[in-house]
Amino acid sequence: MTPSKKHDHKLILTIVKRGRSKKVMKASKAAGAEGGTVLLANGRGIHEKGKSFGLDQIYEKDLILTLVRDEILPGVLGNIIDTVKLDKKGQGLGCIIDIKKTMGINHMDYEEKEKEDLAEMTDDNKGFNLIVTIVNKGDAGKVVDSSIEGGAEGGTILNGRGSGIHEKAKLLSLSIEPEKDIVLTLIKRHKTKEVLSKIEEGTELNQPGKGICFVLPVEETVGIHHLLQDEE
């Protein structure tokens, strides 16, 4: 039976001090999110010392990606803010990014809303999209190979950790956060559907626990002159 509910998706991007990602993940899940993915990062905020003994100071950060449906967005975001005090100075920052297309949610009891501009976003011969694919550690090669088969030139692989609704392993009563591969694929808009199809097929994203994939619109690019020439 086809699910009757339809939902939009948003991506909450949260940046906090290193080690505070567990609190963000716990707050997200408590508000209904299925999980999240943590990336290790470095940076400096406006409230952090810029130099020490004449040297630039760089601080370790956690970057958390949390994909949520629109229905629970206010609750998840509010819980994150309250838990890690994002409304206080120097505690971190967060932003919400609109998602145009999502794969890997077949186990959910709802369908994704079709965006009005999705056709324009994927059929236009000019412009680019960024496909973000999050899979289990070791599956990045499948994503890259599938992307190339669909018309992409390659992909960039990042290492992270996270947990989803199908991952609840514990060791000595401590939750285990499995390692993840995050693959970024910059693709021409008109090739997006084909690349998505190949990724879904090659990594079995239609099966629970295999991963998730979503598309972000790209407004401007640099460093890809050979691709831009093909558009002219």
Side-chain angles (χ1 to χ4, degrees):
M1 182 177 179
T2 303
S4 57
K5 297 180 180 178
K6 291 181 178 291
H7 288 287
D8 190 6
H9 285 92
K10 304 291 182 181
L11 179 69
I12 302 176
L13 190 154
T14 312
I15 301 175
V16 293
K17 295 177 181 178
R18 179 68 55 82
R20 305 198 73 195
S21 58
K22 287 183 179 295
K23 291 186 176 181
V24 175
M25 297 272 281
K26 186 176 181 179
S28 301
K29 287 187 175 181
E34 292 191 18
T37 301
V38 181
L39 302 177
L40 303 182
N42 296 286
R44 186 173 71 238
I46 191 173
H47 299 288
E48 294 173 323
K49 185 184 296 186
K51 289 183 180 292
S52 179
F53 299 103
L55 300 175
D56 291 334
Q57 290 288 94
I58 300 296
Y59 300 86
E60 293 183 326
K61 308 285 185 181
D62 284 347
L63 187 155
I64 306 97
L65 305 177
T66 310
L67 189 68
V68 299
R69 61 186 187 275
D70 55 353
E71 183 183 48
I72 65 171
L73 174 63
V76 174
L77 184 60
N79 222 24
I80 291 174
I81 293 173
D82 292 341
T83 300
V84 294
K85 310 300 181 186
L86 289 186
D87 52 346
K88 305 295 182 181
K89 293 181 179 179
Q91 297 303 309
L93 61 86
C95 63
I96 300 171
I97 301 173
D98 191 25
I99 298 296
K100 300 301 182 182
K101 178 65 179 176
T102 309
M103 295 193 308
I105 59 171
N106 305 68
H107 61 288
M108 302 305 295
D109 61 350
Y110 64 86
E111 293 180 343
E112 183 179 50
K113 286 182 180 177
E114 286 294 333
K115 299 294 183 67
E116 294 180 358
D117 57 347
L118 184 60
E120 178 183 346
M121 177 185 167
T122 55
D123 292 337
D124 191 353
N125 285 328
K126 292 187 177 182
F128 293 83
N129 290 324
L130 179 66
I131 300 175
V132 181
T133 310
I134 302 173
V135 292
N136 297 321
K137 184 72 174 179
D139 285 346
K142 296 179 182 179
V143 177
V144 175
D145 290 344
S146 299
S147 300
I148 293 175
E149 187 178 347
E153 292 201 342
T156 300
I157 302 171
L158 305 174
N159 296 320
R161 67 180 190 274
S163 60
I165 192 171
H166 299 285
E167 298 164 327
K168 299 180 180 179
K170 287 191 174 185
L171 178 63
L172 300 178
S173 298
L174 298 176
S175 296
I176 300 174
E177 295 181 352
E179 290 187 89
K180 300 290 182 181
D181 285 341
I182 301 94
V183 184
L184 307 180
T185 309
L186 188 65
I187 189 69
K188 288 186 177 180
R189 287 183 177 176
H190 69 278
K191 294 183 178 180
T192 303
K193 290 181 180 178
E194 180 63 20
V195 173
L196 284 174
S197 177
K198 291 296 183 180
I199 291 176
E200 183 176 27
E201 178 183 346
T203 59
E204 299 181 321
L205 286 185
N206 57 339
Q207 300 297 321
K210 291 294 185 179
I212 196 166
C213 177
F214 51 87
V215 182
L216 299 174
V218 175
E219 293 186 2
E220 187 175 351
T221 59
V222 294
I224 53 171
H225 305 288
H226 62 294
L227 293 178
L228 294 174
Q229 289 176 355
D230 294 339
E231 293 187 340
E232 296 176 353

